């Protein structure tokens, strides 16, 4: 079945007793046992909750995995995956990755003896060169944040299989609607469900999908053991969001393509990063491995003095962190999402004083362009 159909119908058959079309919110901490040593399949909501399970089953299906897991946030999901490793293990990581993931690895898990090496994962040979005897995994963002580099998930998965490493893909920017890393050979996908999957800037959640049942057992043990599970209300919001994933992303991508093309023609824009542009280094690769280019655009303005007007004088577009929702947001990665990365490292990566990031929403594209245009025009007039 097409993924758009699967997404629309997530949770549909859950409540066979009443035939409810949407999943009920099972707002309960515990469940009555029918008899001694008997269980309905649910005992306590940290271990399992029907609303959460509808979401977990749904995302597993969308991603082509054997089992899904829902967490209180994307960071909680990534944290839970790190419990698969022990003191002395080494993990290779995408260098321009989400700032919060970098902070988790460098400021928290470093203390527990995990080692991380950051490389440009759009360069498979750079990953190969970074492998050490104690390397246990690759943690790769399929489309990076904020520079939108594209990783060759097929080649990286093959490399991981050959070297006995776990291939973990943070597929937040693309979602299974645009890229299915498990089909390409990866072992685990992880999502900030807060972004495109839930899609409405109304809940924070994290999701994981695992391909292999034995590995899924371990991930479940850690999910239940550490306990950072997603509550039933937020699980319901995530399910509700996923139902419209395909229509939202279709519109968001269409808008992003138009805006990216408009930005490339703007005299006050120095550089545009959008994989849907034919000149983007990952364009052909993403076209071959995925089914779309997403709706994130990063761009450099001609002068640092343009940054503030663009952030503050856009009206329809909100100056806010996060991404993936139906509302268009503009962010300044250097001081917002990537503030925890050391200044020299940021500069080297290209996260600089003139780089802005747009998360394109579903609004009318002419309105969005008019909003950007007037913000640029104010500065030109000044
Ligand atoms: C937002 C984000 C995260 C963290 O997710 P939260 O839901 O904010 O905890 C991880 N990875 C990427 C790529 C993100 O954009």
């Amino acid at each position: 079945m097409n993924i758009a159909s699967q997404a629309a119908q997530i949770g549909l058959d859950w409540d066979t007793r009443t035939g409810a079309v949407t999943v009920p919110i099972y707002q309960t901490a515990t469940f009555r046992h029918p008899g001694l040593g008997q269980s309905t399949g649910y005992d306590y909501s940290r271990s399992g909750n029907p609303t959460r399970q509808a979401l977990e089953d749904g995302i597993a299906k969308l991603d082509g995995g054997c089992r899904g897991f829902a967490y209180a946030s994307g960071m909680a999901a990534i944290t839970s995956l790190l419990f698969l490793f022990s003191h002395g293990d080494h993990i290779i990581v995408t260098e321009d990755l989400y700032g919060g993931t970098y902070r988790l690895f460098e400021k928290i898990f470093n203390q527990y003896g995990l080692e991380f090496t950051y490389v440009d994962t759009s360069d498979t040979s750079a990953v190969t060169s970074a492998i050490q005897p104690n390397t246990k995994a690759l943690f790769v963002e399929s489309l990076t944040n904020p520079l939108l580099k594209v990783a060759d998930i097929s080649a990286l998965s093959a490399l991981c299989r050959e070297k006995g490493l776990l291939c973990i893909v943070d597929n937040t920017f693309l979602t299974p609607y645009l890229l299915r890393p498990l089909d390409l050979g990866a072992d685990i996908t992880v999502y900030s469900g807060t972004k495109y999957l839930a899609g409405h800037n109304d809940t924070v959640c994290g999701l994981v999908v695992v391909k292999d049942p034995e590995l899924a057992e371990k991930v479940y043990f850690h999910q239940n053991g550490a306990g950072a599970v997603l509550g039933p209300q937020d699980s319901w919001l995530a399910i509700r969001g996923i139902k419209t994933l395909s229509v939202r992303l279709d519109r968001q991508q269409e808008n992003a393509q138009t805006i990216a093309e408009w930005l490339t023609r703007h005299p006050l824009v120095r550089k545009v990063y959008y994989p849907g542009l034919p000149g983007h280094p990952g364009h052909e690769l993403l076209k071959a491995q995925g089914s779309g280019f997403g709706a994130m655009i990063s761009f450099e303005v001609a002068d640092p003095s343009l940054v503030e007007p663009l952030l503050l004088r856009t009206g329809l577009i909100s100056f806010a962190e996060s991404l993936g929702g139906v509302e268009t947001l503009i962010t300044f990665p250097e001081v917002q999402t990537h503030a925890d990365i050391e200044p020299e490292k940021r500069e080297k990566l290209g996260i600089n004083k003139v780089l802005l990031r747009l998360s394109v929403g579903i609004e009318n594209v002419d309105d969005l362009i008019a909003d950007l245009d007037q913000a640029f025009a104010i500065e030109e007039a000044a």
Side-chain angles (χ1 to χ4, degrees):
M1 201 196 294
N2 183 281
I3 190 163
S5 312
Q6 283 175 359
Q9 306 229 340
I10 180 172
L12 186 69
D13 287 329
W14 198 259
D15 188 355
T16 48
R17 191 175 64 84
T18 67
V21 169
T22 60
V23 186
I25 301 172
Y26 288 86
Q27 192 65 49
T28 182
T30 190
F31 301 83
R32 287 206 294 183
H33 300 303
L36 202 60
Q38 290 178 4
S39 167
T40 59
Y42 297 98
D43 303 309
Y44 185 61
S45 276
R46 169 159 43 70
S47 311
N49 174 282
T51 315
R52 190 177 93 222
Q53 190 159 358
L55 171 62
E56 294 178 330
D57 291 356
I59 189 69
K61 202 164 157 188
L62 292 187
D63 233 346
C66 83
R67 191 158 171 186
F69 302 92
Y71 299 86
S73 67
M75 293 321 304
I78 296 170
T79 298
S80 195
L81 290 179
L82 290 183
F83 297 145
L84 292 167
F85 306 100
S86 348
H87 194 274
D89 286 352
H90 173 248
I91 301 173
I92 300 170
V93 183
T94 297
E95 64 180 2
D96 65 314
L97 92 160
Y98 178 68
T101 309
Y102 181 78
R103 181 176 56 197
L104 176 74
F105 291 178
E106 287 304 303
K107 309 259 163 86
I108 302 178
F109 274 93
N110 246 352
Q111 296 179 80
Y112 299 97
L114 293 189
E115 292 171 34
F116 304 91
T117 298
Y118 300 86
V119 304
D120 179 354
T121 45
S122 69
D123 175 1
T124 304
S125 66
V127 176
T128 310
S129 309
I131 297 174
Q132 305 175 178
N134 60 339
T135 306
K136 293 289 157 61
L138 170 67
F139 184 96
V140 53
E141 288 188 2
S142 49
L143 184 58
T144 67
N145 180 3
L147 296 174
L148 305 163
K149 289 188 182 175
V150 179
D152 185 342
I153 301 298
S154 292
L156 291 170
S157 303
L159 175 68
C160 286
R161 210 167 318 118
E162 184 197 326
K163 304 285 183 187
L165 318 180
L166 271 185
C167 183
I168 303 172
V169 181
D170 182 334
N171 195 34
T172 297
F173 275 31
L174 291 170
T175 82
Y177 183 57
L178 302 180
L179 187 81
R180 303 223 316 171
L182 302 183
D183 289 351
L184 299 170
D187 299 297
I188 298 177
T189 48
V190 57
Y191 297 93
S192 169
T194 314
K195 316 292 171 54
Y196 289 101
L197 287 165
H200 293 75
N201 289 320
D202 57 7
T203 177
V204 171
C205 75
L207 295 161
V208 162
V209 180
V210 180
K211 196 160 67 180
D212 170 66
E214 216 173 294
L215 184 59
E217 270 310 312
K218 284 190 197 161
V219 172
Y220 174 70
F221 183 78
H222 296 143
Q223 182 199 34
N224 184 42
V229 294
L230 192 65
Q233 309 255 0
D234 291 292
S235 296
W236 188 88
L237 280 171
I239 289 169
R240 209 265 293 267
I242 288 171
K243 285 175 177 284
T244 57
L245 179 68
S246 67
V247 282
R248 282 186 286 109
L249 266 171
D250 285 348
R251 173 62 167 262
Q252 283 171 285
Q253 292 197 103
E254 197 183 305
N255 284 354
Q257 185 75 36
T258 307
I259 292 170
E261 286 168 9
W262 181 80
L263 285 169
T264 57
R265 293 191 299 268
H266 200 286
L268 293 175
V269 174
R270 204 162 75 178
K271 202 165 181 180
V272 181
Y273 299 90
Y274 180 63
L277 295 173
H280 186 281
H283 179 76
E284 292 301 328
L285 180 61
L286 195 51
K287 207 161 138 183
Q289 295 196 351
S291 46
F293 302 105
M296 297 301 297
I297 302 172
S298 290
F299 62 102
E300 285 187 3
V301 289
D303 190 87
S305 66
L306 286 160
V307 168
E308 206 171 308
L310 276 167
L311 293 175
L312 301 180
R313 294 190 197 148
T314 40
L316 180 63
I317 301 172
S318 300
F319 171 34
E321 276 175 61
S322 200
L323 60 111
V326 292
E327 304 90 354
T328 300
L329 305 181
I330 190 163
T331 330
F332 188 26
E334 190 192 54
V335 302
Q336 293 182 288
T337 49
H338 291 70
D340 278 294
I341 298 176
E342 295 76 16
E344 323 76 68
K345 195 172 255 168
R346 272 200 312 252
E347 191 57 41
K348 181 182 153 264
L349 294 173
I351 304 168
N352 57 35
K353 293 191 181 341
V354 289
L355 186 80
L356 293 171
R357 191 189 76 184
L358 275 175
S359 166
V360 179
I362 64 168
E363 301 92 340
N364 176 280
V365 74
D366 296 333
D367 288 344
L368 291 171
I369 288 176
D371 194 32
L372 287 168
D373 200 31
Q374 61 81 29
F376 271 119
I378 289 169
E379 189 54 24
E380 273 174 310

